[in-house]
């Protein structure tokens, strides 16, 4: 335990020193979000890379009242949005930016979004994040299921976080943990909570999400999760490649059939391309761990997205290589499910159930691959996990969408 | 009239002394809700039971910005939610709590609810109150009526109160009155206002609602009102009973037919029970006053809900004796109407009309029956009102719901 | 350039002196709306009519958090609502008020409105302005188009303005310009921004809107705009008249056919009248400029609405001469389009397209005609523009609404 003389006078900050970490409550029932900053210097932490965590509030437009938490770990700068499901707005190392340029420029307060608008596509009015949580009652395209309109990708990205806390380990490597709880609750319908966690370390070019879904209810409930992780330039470009240990790949729909031969490579920004989506069943290693990689054409810069196939057994590759203005972006999307409406996924056994009081963990790690060495090392891991196993390339979509009414 | 030297320095409080009462504006167009407290001590009131009224604001999650007014009358503690239709969140005397445990834990700001979501069941995302106002354009189950989707139980519970005032009588028994106005207005559609009032007295174990609906418009309008009053343990338990002077009782739907024989008693928390609802036409006394009672199995603890059958001629008994986690709760619901969609209630003559500039009053009193004596006394009143008159037990629902399309 | 010693101590105000104007940022991403005032006296401006600009915030009810900017130019008082699309709430000169009395009394925060509610008529829950911007993805009555429910009159009136600035020219006539940006953005759907501007001058009885719509996207997009400009007494009364240079007039629907003979005159408040609407194609002068006039029966008081037919080629005359309580009001509505659902307007060639990065300007000027001389002068302009050209009076609506399903 450590005394915190440097915190005297910080006012808004309440630091509780636990055995292992400094704890700050940034937002809670009786504590409003407010502009504040916590620095390694204040904590008396000597690291090669001084770090800073800053909380601020946005104003104007549809972003009125939105909270942002900026974490600068000394090397990587991350922005997290408590008001929008603890989504990761962006991350950057120097001038290399993970994330993308959506036409949506505001960080939109969910108070101003009707998810049921636009035929269930209201979610698109706020979509601009590097990582947007999808779930947890459902994910996928809008449409009727059990007599109810399921809106695009569920509610998680538009649930403001309840209690938000920051923990900083007191010992090297001084891990920085930002936690926020999402409550997805409706009488008779659902009683989920999701304890989200983002972890990074001073000087690191990686961060991890470590989410725990709890079914607080007394009944088993269907659930779905999908981590919509979106990248653009400098990773995405003509000739950029996606690599993963693949057991099965199939086109999402008829449109994607046409480009199936090139499913692992990307186009330049292409007018009228819209999007193609490929459904992937990845291989994991003995523990289920797997790794997916996006790298530029030269193989000199990339990102990896790692996850566990026992937690998130399938993966959607979203290739939205339309024009820059329309949103030149690819989504690497580990999930319990693909992006079909829930009613199409039950026959695929991709609508799992969570028993009363049970929990599910979803852990995803994001790393910048800053040079050819890092890219090659990650591609080596992919090959190692594939381990010579076969890849089934299905020519037809798993779902006959023409049966949709 | 009384001078208020003790209020000097309270800052936010503006007390205007009228002939009979201290008046405080807690919220108005030019006055934001803020943390504040008014106490009997400040007022120089000497009562056996000192009282306190506190205003606070909730933060985080979907409750961001929600105002709560806590009234501690010295014996009973009440929490009222201006941001949610002046609903009564809960009331308690010692460790006896009126109210229930909904899966919805936040006190949800209506800004985050789409009432039209979930096929018109969006209301369920905020439902957790002891008393939730339903109305006033309509109440009842979602469904189409006149080409419009009527959402569950109308808008009242999700209308933030405009001007909120606190009045405390200057003379014994120093009645405490909390008022808040709800505006239910849409061009060409509706021009209602509801002056809500909650009244209690220092040391009392009762409170009353005294609402006045005004049709400010120039045309007669249909209206409906229902006071969704919800109780759980320690009143609700296996063998708990409901008593009222009953002229007619009928099952709400086919499901309720099965339990009709036991309509007045309750089950323990029962897995997969969901709910049964009974439609009741109560008898009133010569003035129309009536009393309904819920008491535990031993008859040693209960609550009574009193109202006037000229104001609120029908009553729904909602028996949601599912598991505790799902929401173990019963609703005692006096209303102008049952809980059917409005289109089913017109043929039952349960969709009244309010003429231009007319008003309707809805007065409901809630009392804790703290011991067997109090329970027995209330049951005596019920019997007195029944006065030996017959109870018609209808075996079939009043409405053929299979005709719903 | 001018030094601003008088601004020292204003705190919240940041005045940047440009070559031509004082610039104040009233609202921006990092600047919350707050109560503040800017006066000609502070600026050291000597005008016959001292002016004042005030920003304030509303509380309570569904107007919680709404910002209002009041401009008193010394003669005319204007209220603009940044939270509601920079709509003009009202304008008045002495006791003559431009605007009307809607049953909607709150200035409703869009966070509390479901535009998709009431079958797409949710917009009516906030409608009470003198000028409500309609557009820009669509305008018109709710209904399905391309598989999506288009809600009444689009989103503009319910988009909170992003960066809001006030500019005051440093030289006579010291024009006062209030600007606010509206972002209408949804991934894959739309990427519009609208730079709104309201201009008035000290001592003037006029104001102008000068809006610039930009399609930031990479694809051509359909758009529509309509300026819903609403007036009541003292202009509107029995025998009041509407005058404009008219090329074609037609009834909006069958109901309006009945009153076609009297389309230019108004009734007294009339029970059960509801509304009639006339579709007008105005003539413009050589530059396309045109003028429309509403004046009282005596011709001694009126308002003019001027616009350019190249920007806004059509005009809806909305005659809602129902009772005062229901809303006794007429709308003078220049637009790209009439008020039919968008799907009906394509065959009329009233759904224009805006190319990528292109802009469209919409300029409308509103003037009080304070006496008979001013009214006569405006009517002379109307006659001058008409220039003896014929008016086609069509007896049938342009659209067969019975084909609506």
């Amino acid at each position: 335990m450590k005394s915190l003389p440097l915190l005297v006078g910080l006012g808004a900050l309440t630091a509780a020193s636990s055995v292992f970490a400094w704890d700050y409550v940034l937002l809670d029932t009786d504590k409003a979000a407010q502009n504040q900053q916590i620095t390694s210097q204040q904590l008396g932490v000597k690291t090669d890379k001084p770090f800073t965590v800053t909380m601020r509030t946005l104003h104007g437009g549809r972003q009125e009242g939105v909270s942002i938490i900026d974490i600068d770990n000394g090397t990587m700068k991350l922005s997290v949005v408590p008001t929008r499901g603890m989504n990761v707005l962006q991350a950057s190392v120097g001038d290399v930016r993970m994330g993308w340029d959506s036409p949506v420029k505001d960080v939109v307060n969910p108070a101003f979004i009707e998810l049921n608008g636009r035929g269930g596509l209201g979610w698109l009015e706020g979509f601009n994040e590097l990582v947007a949580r999808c779930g947890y009652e459902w994910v996928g395209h809008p449409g009727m299921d059990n007599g109810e309109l399921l809106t695009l990708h569920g509610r998680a990205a538009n649930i403001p976080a309840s209690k938000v806390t920051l923990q900083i380990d007191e010992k090297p490597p001084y891990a920085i943990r930002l936690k926020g709880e999402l409550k997805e609750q409706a009488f008779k319908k659902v009683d989920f909570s999701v304890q989200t966690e983002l972890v990074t370390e001073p000087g690191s070019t990686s961060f991890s999400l470590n989410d725990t879904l709890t079914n607080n209810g007394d009944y088993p409930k269907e659930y779905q999760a999908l981590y919509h992780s979106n990248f653009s330039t400098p990773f995405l470009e003509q000739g950029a490649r996606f690599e993963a240990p693949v057991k099965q790949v199939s086109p999402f729909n008829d449109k994607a059939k046409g480009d199936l031969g090139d499913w692992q490579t990307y186009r330049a920004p292409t007018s009228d391309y819209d999007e193609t989506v490929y459904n992937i069943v990845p291989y994991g290693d003995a523990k289920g761990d797997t790794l997916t990689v996006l790298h530029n054409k030269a193989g000199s810069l990339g990102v990896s997205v790692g996850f566990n196939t026992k937690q998130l057994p399938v993966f959607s590759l979203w290739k939205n290589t339309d024009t820059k203005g329309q949103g030149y972006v690819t989504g690497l999307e580990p999930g319990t499910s693909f992006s079909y409406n829930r009613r199409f996924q039950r026959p695929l056994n991709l609508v799992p159930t969570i028993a009363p009081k049970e929990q599910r963990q979803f852990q995803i790690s994001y790393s910048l691959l800053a040079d050819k060495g890092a890219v090659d090392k990650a591609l080596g891991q992919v090959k190692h996990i594939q381990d010579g196993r076969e890849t089934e390339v299905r020519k037809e979509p798993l779902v006959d969408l023409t049966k949709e009414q």
Side-chain angles (χ1 to χ4, degrees), chain A:
Chain A
M1 298 227 286
K2 188 176 281 192
S3 66
L4 287 169
L6 285 164
L7 288 174
V8 172
L10 283 183
L13 298 180
T14 310
S17 168
S18 70
V19 180
F20 300 110
W22 289 287
D23 276 317
Y24 299 89
V25 177
L26 301 182
L27 175 65
D28 203 353
T29 297
D30 56 358
K31 178 158 191 173
Q34 53 190 292
N35 292 351
Q36 54 182 296
Q37 196 166 60
I38 295 155
T39 69
S40 50
Q41 197 184 0
Q42 286 168 2
L43 300 173
V45 169
K46 310 265 190 244
T47 56
D48 291 346
K49 300 286 187 177
F51 58 83
T52 307
V53 179
T54 309
M55 189 174 207
R56 60 192 164 103
T57 302
L58 304 183
H59 299 285
R62 306 219 291 177
Q63 65 189 359
E64 183 62 46
V66 166
S67 291
I68 304 272
I69 296 170
D70 299 308
I71 300 174
D72 180 348
N73 73 13
T75 298
M76 179 178 262
K77 294 178 182 179
L78 291 144
S79 295
V80 177
V81 191
T83 314
R84 292 183 53 80
M86 299 297 287
N87 286 344
V88 185
L89 183 59
Q90 56 181 1
S92 61
V93 175
D95 58 2
V96 176
R97 189 262 319 247
M98 295 160 78
W100 61 296
D101 293 311
S102 170
V104 177
K105 300 306 179 198
D106 278 354
V107 185
V108 181
N109 192 324
F112 293 113
I113 292 184
E114 289 175 75
L115 294 177
N116 289 276
R118 297 183 180 277
L121 290 172
W123 190 88
L124 297 175
E125 296 187 14
F127 177 49
N128 60 8
E129 290 99 338
L130 162 56
V131 187
R133 284 180 173 83
C134 302
Y136 289 87
E137 261 192 288
W138 67 81
V139 302
H141 287 189
M144 298 304 290
D145 183 30
N146 294 336
E148 185 183 341
L149 174 64
L150 304 187
T151 61
L152 177 63
H153 283 326
R155 289 188 177 80
N158 289 279
I159 300 176
S162 300
K163 188 171 181 174
V164 176
T165 57
L166 175 69
Q167 292 186 336
I168 298 166
D169 283 357
E170 291 188 25
K171 294 183 182 169
Y174 301 107
I176 301 164
R177 300 170 201 279
L178 182 66
K179 299 182 181 185
E181 187 187 14
L182 310 182
K183 295 180 189 169
E184 193 168 357
Q185 298 172 328
F187 179 63
K188 283 190 187 286
K189 295 289 179 178
V190 60
D191 188 2
F192 287 171
S193 60
V194 182
Q195 183 56 258
T196 72
E197 186 183 53
L198 178 146
V199 189
T200 189
E201 290 175 4
S204 170
T205 57
S206 300
F207 68 93
S208 299
L209 302 182
N210 182 12
D211 292 356
T212 306
L213 166 69
T214 304
N215 177 7
N216 305 298
D218 283 345
Y219 293 101
K221 266 288 288 179
E222 291 183 340
Y223 74 97
Q224 296 182 296
L226 182 151
Y227 287 78
H228 213 299
S229 314
N230 311 301
F231 304 93
S232 182
T233 52
F235 313 104
L236 182 62
E237 62 181 355
Q238 183 168 18
R241 272 191 79 80
F242 170 80
E243 296 282 358
V246 178
K247 183 177 180 186
Q248 182 194 88
V249 60
S250 58
F252 180 82
N253 55 15
D254 282 349
K255 169 148 194 219
K257 283 167 65 174
D259 277 2
L260 180 60
D262 299 316
W263 77 270
Q264 284 184 276
T265 57
Y266 290 93
R267 300 191 185 211
T270 303
S271 200
D272 293 316
Y273 186 78
D274 196 11
E275 63 179 35
T276 50
V277 177
Y278 295 93
N279 292 339
I280 293 167
V281 182
Y283 282 118
D285 66 14
K287 293 178 179 172
D289 289 333
T290 194
L291 193 72
T292 61
V293 173
L294 168 72
H295 65 75
N296 66 358
K297 185 177 181 184
S300 59
L301 192 65
V303 288
S304 69
V305 177
F307 56 97
N308 189 287
T309 56
K310 293 175 185 167
Q311 297 175 353
L312 299 164
V314 300
F315 182 96
S316 298
L317 185 66
W318 173 54
K319 300 170 74 179
N320 198 82
T321 52
D322 207 290
T323 68
K324 291 196 175 189
Q326 184 77 351
Y328 183 63
V329 58
T330 182
L332 278 60
E333 309 171 10
T336 61
S337 315
F338 295 125
S339 281
Y340 299 114
N341 186 271
R342 191 175 63 187
R343 73 181 187 279
F344 291 122
Q345 303 213 55
R346 280 197 203 87
L348 304 177
N349 288 318
L350 294 177
V351 187
T353 295
I354 181 167
K357 317 309 174 195
E358 272 196 0
Q359 296 190 322
R360 293 285 183 278
Q361 273 204 306
F362 309 112
Q363 293 162 303
I364 308 104
S365 60
Y366 299 84
S367 294
L368 176 67
L369 309 172
D371 53 32
K372 190 162 191 317
V375 171
D376 286 346
K377 185 175 170 191
L379 293 178
Q381 287 179 267
V382 169
K383 195 172 180 184
H384 180 77
I385 297 168
Q386 181 88 34
D387 197 23
R389 289 178 282 185
E390 270 194 15
T391 297
E392 177 194 6
V393 180
R394 290 179 58 115
K395 290 186 179 159
E396 294 297 321
L398 297 167
V399 167
D400 181 356
L401 291 165
T402 62
K403 286 189 185 166
E404 185 161 22
Q405 30 175 344

